Amino acid sequence: MLAPRAERPRSMTVWRIGGRIPVGRITPVALFLTDLDPRARVKGSRDGLGTQGVWSATGRPLIGNLTTVTDSLSGFTTLLVGLRLAELASADELDHPTNAFLVWEQMAAYVRHVACGHRGFFGLQRIAARAAKAGGNGGKVQLSAQPEHQILSNQRTDGLLGNYTAPARASGLVAPGSPARLTSEAAAFVDAVYIPRLESGWGADARHLVRELRRDRVVFDLGANEKRASVASIFSPVMSQPEVDFYRYHLVEGGPGDPTKGRQPRFASLLEAIPSDSAWPSRPYLMAIADDAESRGWSDIADLVRRVIACESVLAPASLLFNYLLGRNGAHLDKIVADLRSSWGDRLDSIDPLAASALPGQEWPRIAVALAGGDYPQLIRELAERNATVMRERGGALAWLEVTEQDELRVRFRDEPADLPTGDEIPELWWYPYFIPSLASMLTAIGKGEA
């Protein structure tokens, strides 16, 4: 499984590409970018071109419930069991059911690290350090909702509650309202599948665990014992058939309220039919997916996948060029253009012919045309204008990049220096997720029988 990440790495990811993108027409699809999907936000990222609104709106018609960070099936399992236990702990009107969940999340994280050897979960750094330190304290750690025991700087917002609740709600697992509670179907699933596994260490109906979660502070023994073993059993590498069926329906297929209206289950079946060595998408892989969809008569899926390919052919080089420009304060436009021609040649043949019609608004199609035509002076000006638009939409902040009347770059926000990819590397770029890695990770986990 992939580790949750706050943002894409700044180093360039290169994927080998073969073949050509089929030339055709993309059916117009309205992409409304004024109200960004909060489940698409990449925490900590700097998006000076507003690319998030483009790639998330392009990916949502295919994958409606997952986000960039909800790529762990064990994360969803921890959430579901924790919300159920917190509800049971608050049956006699506990003031803070959230506190009970935070304690459970900490307990589950320690067990996943110590007993299961898991590495991809929120709070791993603090968990590993405290577990190592606990060796001198008889192998015991303290759990509570207090800041000194939380496994993240703000566990409520940065942990499972903050990152997994909305996608779980979109998948039909969490009911509307606050505090978060499971739907009746999800609660029945936890009661039937996971509560019995906890009984060996915590008594009938896990009543001793529920009682512990009501306490302000819990002392938990990390050594081998029945309590630890019963929690670890929730994350068994061998999944039961009820687990496979339940997670496939809700997480892979989108659940009862599938916002893609049946497209996500079909798209998932295509990903399963053509396995990939990587959860991260690539152009040749998605071209194969689109062709397979077309052969099955799923022209709507094929059209949407080709839209993803077309958008990425522009978003990736435009984003990398923009980052490069932020490190060239004071440089003359002629010098930048000369460097671009030296690296990229007279034009970029890798820009998808459908990109200008697939991209939303007015600025992105112009950026696509400038990239494809090798009009680098105009391209730089269009990127600066796009950034200015994004800054205005964010409340009137000054643009990060500006081309002065003297044709020099004025950079107000200087990011880390970024290299300019070569022309040979441009066709191989894939920079944005379109939520595909998260769906691929769910399929991989279910396929291997790993929760």
Side-chain angles (χ1 to χ4, degrees):
M1 275 174 280
L2 301 176
R5 54 179 174 241
E7 58 181 311
R8 285 283 304 146
R10 291 186 183 277
S11 59
M12 184 172 64
T13 300
V14 175
W15 302 95
R16 292 293 167 190
I17 302 301
R20 294 182 60 84
I21 298 172
V23 177
R25 296 190 56 170
I26 287 183
T27 304
V29 174
L31 301 180
F32 298 98
L33 307 182
T34 55
D35 185 16
L36 293 182
D37 181 353
R39 292 171 293 138
R41 293 198 179 99
V42 182
K43 293 189 176 182
S45 66
R46 301 185 182 101
D47 184 11
L49 295 178
T51 55
Q52 176 192 297
V54 180
W55 69 255
S56 64
T58 305
R60 273 294 171 231
L62 289 169
I63 302 171
N65 61 332
L66 301 174
T67 70
T68 55
V69 296
T70 54
D71 55 8
S72 168
L73 196 52
S74 292
F76 279 107
T77 300
T78 305
L79 178 78
L80 297 184
V81 175
L83 289 178
R84 183 58 175 152
L85 291 172
E87 182 178 1
L88 295 173
S90 63
D92 49 3
E93 301 190 10
L94 182 73
D95 290 337
H96 301 287
T98 299
N99 291 354
F101 178 88
L102 298 182
V103 172
W104 161 254
E105 183 180 9
Q106 294 164 22
M107 183 184 296
Y110 278 114
V111 171
R112 290 180 65 188
H113 172 67
V114 174
C116 304
H118 292 183
R119 295 296 178 265
F121 57 84
F122 297 127
L124 172 61
Q125 187 173 8
R126 291 189 182 185
I127 287 291
R130 292 172 185 174
K133 186 177 180 180
N137 188 35
K140 296 180 179 179
V141 292
Q142 295 192 53
L143 318 175
S144 82
Q146 297 305 310
E148 63 267 24
H149 298 133
Q150 291 189 25
I151 59 177
L152 296 158
S153 57
N154 188 330
Q155 192 180 331
R156 285 178 173 83
T157 59
D158 298 336
L160 292 172
L161 280 178
N163 286 285
Y164 275 65
T165 300
R169 184 173 283 123
S171 305
L173 299 171
V174 174
S178 180
R181 294 183 183 274
L182 298 183
T183 60
S184 58
E185 180 186 0
F189 169 75
V190 172
D191 289 347
V193 175
Y194 293 127
I195 296 299
R197 298 186 191 180
L198 293 170
E199 291 180 343
S200 62
W202 301 93
D205 298 327
R207 63 179 183 274
H208 297 307
L209 177 54
V210 171
R211 184 180 61 198
E212 288 291 290
L213 295 180
R214 292 190 182 117
R215 299 182 186 277
D216 292 334
R217 183 170 302 187
V218 175
V219 177
F220 186 63
D221 188 352
L222 298 183
N225 58 73
E226 289 187 358
K227 291 182 178 180
R228 193 191 80 171
S230 67
V231 174
S233 70
I234 288 176
F235 307 105
S236 171
V238 179
M239 294 176 63
S240 65
Q241 193 59 48
E243 287 177 284
V244 171
D245 294 342
F246 181 84
Y247 287 127
R248 175 175 291 277
Y249 174 60
H250 286 278
L251 299 180
V252 171
E253 299 179 358
D258 170 25
T260 69
K261 302 186 185 303
R263 289 186 294 268
Q264 182 168 325
R266 287 183 288 150
F267 182 58
S269 70
L270 293 168
L271 297 181
E272 284 187 297
I274 307 178
S276 173
D277 294 335
S278 172
W280 197 258
S282 67
R283 187 178 303 184
Y285 179 64
L286 290 185
M287 287 169 57
I289 294 293
D291 290 343
D292 191 13
E294 199 76 67
S295 70
R296 300 185 189 207
W298 298 346
S299 59
D300 58 333
I301 303 296
D303 199 50
L304 289 167
V305 173
R306 290 177 181 138
R307 181 179 294 277
V308 168
I309 296 170
C311 288
E312 185 65 13
S313 75
V314 172
L315 295 185
S319 297
L320 289 170
L321 175 56
F322 182 72
N323 290 342
Y324 171 76
L325 296 174
L326 292 180
R328 298 298 303 273
N329 182 50
H332 196 277
L333 194 61
D334 292 343
K335 171 60 176 170
I336 301 294
V337 170
D339 291 344
L340 278 173
R341 295 203 186 284
S342 176
S343 295
W344 291 3
D346 291 335
R347 50 172 289 156
L348 288 183
D349 294 331
S350 60
I351 303 303
D352 194 289
L354 304 171
S357 62
L359 288 160
Q362 298 180 344
E363 291 162 336
W364 280 112
R366 291 200 298 264
I367 291 171
V369 170
L371 277 167
D375 190 350
Y376 298 139
Q378 185 61 26
L379 171 61
I380 295 170
R381 295 182 186 279
E382 291 291 353
L383 291 175
E385 180 56 34
R386 175 61 194 158
N387 174 244
T389 298
V390 170
M391 294 301 103
R392 287 194 297 270
E393 291 173 349
R394 292 179 182 174
L398 291 174
W400 297 355
L401 176 68
E402 179 183 347
V403 180
T404 69
E405 294 181 357
Q406 292 75 37
D407 285 343
E408 293 181 347
L409 297 189
R410 177 182 296 160
V411 179
R412 295 188 178 90
F413 178 86
R414 301 188 187 185
D415 209 343
E416 299 174 10
D419 295 331
L420 192 65
T422 67
D424 291 338
E425 291 172 327
I426 293 296
E428 304 170 346
L429 297 176
W430 197 281
W431 208 240
Y432 295 103
Y434 303 85
F435 311 108
I436 296 172
S438 294
L439 180 59
S441 292
M442 295 299 114
L443 287 167
T444 299
I446 292 173
K448 289 183 177 179
E450 295 179 357

